[in-house]
Short mmCIF file of all heavy atoms in Angstrom, two decimals:
data_model
loop_
_atom_site.label_atom_id
_atom_site.label_comp_id
_atom_site.label_asym_id
_atom_site.label_seq_id
_atom_site.Cartn_x
_atom_site.Cartn_y
_atom_site.Cartn_z
N GLU A 71 20.46 22.00 -22.34
CA GLU A 71 20.00 21.79 -23.71
C GLU A 71 18.89 20.72 -23.79
O GLU A 71 18.24 20.57 -24.83
CB GLU A 71 21.19 21.42 -24.62
CG GLU A 71 21.78 20.03 -24.39
CD GLU A 71 22.79 19.98 -23.22
OE1 GLU A 71 22.88 20.95 -22.44
OE2 GLU A 71 23.47 18.95 -23.06
N ILE A 72 18.68 20.03 -22.72
CA ILE A 72 17.67 18.96 -22.76
C ILE A 72 16.26 19.53 -22.74
O ILE A 72 15.92 20.38 -21.91
CB ILE A 72 17.88 17.98 -21.59
CG1 ILE A 72 19.15 17.18 -21.86
CG2 ILE A 72 16.70 17.03 -21.44
CD1 ILE A 72 19.62 16.38 -20.70
N ARG A 73 15.43 19.06 -23.69
CA ARG A 73 14.08 19.59 -23.80
C ARG A 73 13.03 18.59 -23.34
O ARG A 73 11.95 18.96 -22.90
CB ARG A 73 13.78 19.97 -25.26
CG ARG A 73 14.52 21.22 -25.72
CD ARG A 73 14.22 21.51 -27.18
NE ARG A 73 14.72 20.44 -28.05
CZ ARG A 73 13.98 19.69 -28.83
NH1 ARG A 73 12.67 19.87 -28.87
NH2 ARG A 73 14.52 18.76 -29.59
N ALA A 74 13.34 17.31 -23.50
CA ALA A 74 12.31 16.32 -23.18
C ALA A 74 12.96 15.02 -22.75
O ALA A 74 14.13 14.77 -23.01
CB ALA A 74 11.45 16.08 -24.41
N ALA A 75 12.17 14.21 -22.06
CA ALA A 75 12.66 12.88 -21.68
C ALA A 75 11.56 11.87 -21.93
O ALA A 75 10.38 12.18 -21.74
CB ALA A 75 13.05 12.86 -20.20
N ASN A 76 11.93 10.72 -22.43
CA ASN A 76 10.95 9.64 -22.50
C ASN A 76 11.55 8.35 -21.97
O ASN A 76 12.74 8.28 -21.67
CB ASN A 76 10.38 9.50 -23.91
CG ASN A 76 11.45 9.34 -24.93
OD1 ASN A 76 12.38 8.57 -24.74
ND2 ASN A 76 11.34 10.09 -26.03
N TYR A 77 10.72 7.35 -21.82
CA TYR A 77 11.12 6.14 -21.10
C TYR A 77 10.87 4.93 -21.97
O TYR A 77 9.87 4.84 -22.67
CB TYR A 77 10.34 6.03 -19.79
CG TYR A 77 10.46 7.30 -19.00
CD1 TYR A 77 9.57 8.36 -19.20
CD2 TYR A 77 11.51 7.48 -18.11
CE1 TYR A 77 9.72 9.55 -18.53
CE2 TYR A 77 11.67 8.67 -17.42
CZ TYR A 77 10.77 9.72 -17.63
OH TYR A 77 10.92 10.89 -16.97
N SER A 78 11.81 4.00 -21.90
CA SER A 78 11.69 2.86 -22.78
C SER A 78 12.17 1.61 -22.04
O SER A 78 13.15 1.65 -21.29
CB SER A 78 12.54 3.15 -24.02
OG SER A 78 12.70 1.99 -24.76
N ILE A 79 11.42 0.52 -22.23
CA ILE A 79 11.77 -0.70 -21.50
C ILE A 79 12.94 -1.40 -22.17
O ILE A 79 12.93 -1.63 -23.37
CB ILE A 79 10.56 -1.65 -21.44
CG1 ILE A 79 9.39 -0.94 -20.78
CG2 ILE A 79 10.91 -2.94 -20.71
CD1 ILE A 79 8.08 -1.69 -20.86
N VAL A 80 13.98 -1.71 -21.39
CA VAL A 80 15.09 -2.48 -21.94
C VAL A 80 15.40 -3.64 -21.00
O VAL A 80 15.25 -3.53 -19.80
CB VAL A 80 16.39 -1.64 -22.09
CG1 VAL A 80 16.27 -0.65 -23.21
CG2 VAL A 80 16.72 -0.92 -20.80
N ALA A 81 15.81 -4.76 -21.58
CA ALA A 81 16.18 -5.91 -20.75
C ALA A 81 17.45 -5.55 -19.99
O ALA A 81 18.29 -4.82 -20.50
CB ALA A 81 16.41 -7.13 -21.63
N PRO A 82 17.59 -6.04 -18.75
CA PRO A 82 18.81 -5.76 -18.01
C PRO A 82 20.04 -6.25 -18.79
O PRO A 82 19.98 -7.31 -19.41
CB PRO A 82 18.66 -6.56 -16.72
CG PRO A 82 17.28 -7.09 -16.70
CD PRO A 82 16.67 -6.91 -18.04
N SER A 83 21.12 -5.48 -18.76
CA SER A 83 22.27 -5.85 -19.57
C SER A 83 22.97 -7.08 -18.99
O SER A 83 22.82 -7.41 -17.82
CB SER A 83 23.24 -4.69 -19.66
OG SER A 83 23.76 -4.45 -18.36
N ALA A 84 23.77 -7.74 -19.84
CA ALA A 84 24.34 -9.03 -19.48
C ALA A 84 25.12 -8.98 -18.17
O ALA A 84 25.05 -9.89 -17.37
CB ALA A 84 25.24 -9.52 -20.60
N ASN A 85 25.86 -7.86 -17.95
CA ASN A 85 26.67 -7.86 -16.73
C ASN A 85 25.85 -7.64 -15.45
O ASN A 85 26.39 -7.67 -14.36
CB ASN A 85 27.81 -6.84 -16.83
CG ASN A 85 27.28 -5.44 -17.11
OD1 ASN A 85 26.08 -5.20 -16.97
ND2 ASN A 85 28.16 -4.55 -17.53
N ASN A 86 24.53 -7.44 -15.61
CA ASN A 86 23.70 -7.35 -14.42
C ASN A 86 23.08 -8.69 -14.03
O ASN A 86 22.47 -8.81 -12.99
CB ASN A 86 22.53 -6.38 -14.67
CG ASN A 86 22.98 -4.97 -14.43
OD1 ASN A 86 24.00 -4.76 -13.77
ND2 ASN A 86 22.25 -4.02 -14.98
N VAL A 87 23.22 -9.66 -14.90
CA VAL A 87 22.56 -10.93 -14.64
C VAL A 87 23.22 -11.61 -13.44
O VAL A 87 24.43 -11.65 -13.32
CB VAL A 87 22.64 -11.84 -15.89
CG1 VAL A 87 22.09 -13.21 -15.58
CG2 VAL A 87 21.85 -11.20 -17.02
N LYS A 88 22.36 -12.08 -12.55
CA LYS A 88 22.87 -12.66 -11.31
C LYS A 88 23.43 -14.05 -11.56
O LYS A 88 22.97 -14.76 -12.44
CB LYS A 88 21.71 -12.78 -10.32
CG LYS A 88 20.97 -11.48 -10.12
CD LYS A 88 21.01 -11.08 -8.67
CE LYS A 88 20.65 -9.64 -8.49
NZ LYS A 88 19.21 -9.40 -8.56
N PRO A 89 24.41 -14.46 -10.78
CA PRO A 89 24.90 -15.83 -10.90
C PRO A 89 23.77 -16.81 -10.58
O PRO A 89 22.91 -16.51 -9.75
CB PRO A 89 26.00 -15.92 -9.84
CG PRO A 89 25.75 -14.80 -8.91
CD PRO A 89 25.08 -13.72 -9.70
N THR A 90 23.73 -17.95 -11.24
CA THR A 90 22.60 -18.85 -11.02
C THR A 90 22.68 -19.59 -9.69
O THR A 90 21.68 -19.94 -9.12
CB THR A 90 22.50 -19.88 -12.15
OG1 THR A 90 23.81 -20.34 -12.41
CG2 THR A 90 21.88 -19.28 -13.40
N LYS A 91 23.91 -19.83 -9.22
CA LYS A 91 24.02 -20.52 -7.94
C LYS A 91 24.34 -19.54 -6.83
O LYS A 91 25.40 -18.93 -6.82
CB LYS A 91 25.14 -21.56 -8.01
CG LYS A 91 24.71 -22.85 -8.66
CD LYS A 91 25.17 -24.03 -7.83
CE LYS A 91 24.52 -25.30 -8.35
NZ LYS A 91 24.56 -26.38 -7.41
N PRO A 92 23.44 -19.34 -5.87
CA PRO A 92 23.79 -18.45 -4.78
C PRO A 92 24.92 -19.06 -3.94
O PRO A 92 24.95 -20.27 -3.75
CB PRO A 92 22.50 -18.36 -3.98
CG PRO A 92 21.62 -19.44 -4.44
CD PRO A 92 22.13 -19.95 -5.74
N LYS A 93 25.80 -18.19 -3.46
CA LYS A 93 26.93 -18.76 -2.70
C LYS A 93 26.70 -18.51 -1.22
O LYS A 93 27.25 -17.58 -0.63
CB LYS A 93 28.25 -18.12 -3.14
CG LYS A 93 28.18 -17.43 -4.48
CD LYS A 93 29.44 -16.61 -4.69
CE LYS A 93 29.32 -15.54 -5.73
NZ LYS A 93 28.49 -14.43 -5.52
#
Side-chain angles (χ1 to χ4, degrees):
E71 71 277 11
I72 289 169
R73 288 178 296 119
N76 54 46
Y77 307 88
S78 167
I79 302 171
V80 288
S83 66
N85 57 14
N86 276 341
V87 174
K88 307 239 164 78
T90 43
K91 278 227 170 198
K93 341 169 200 67

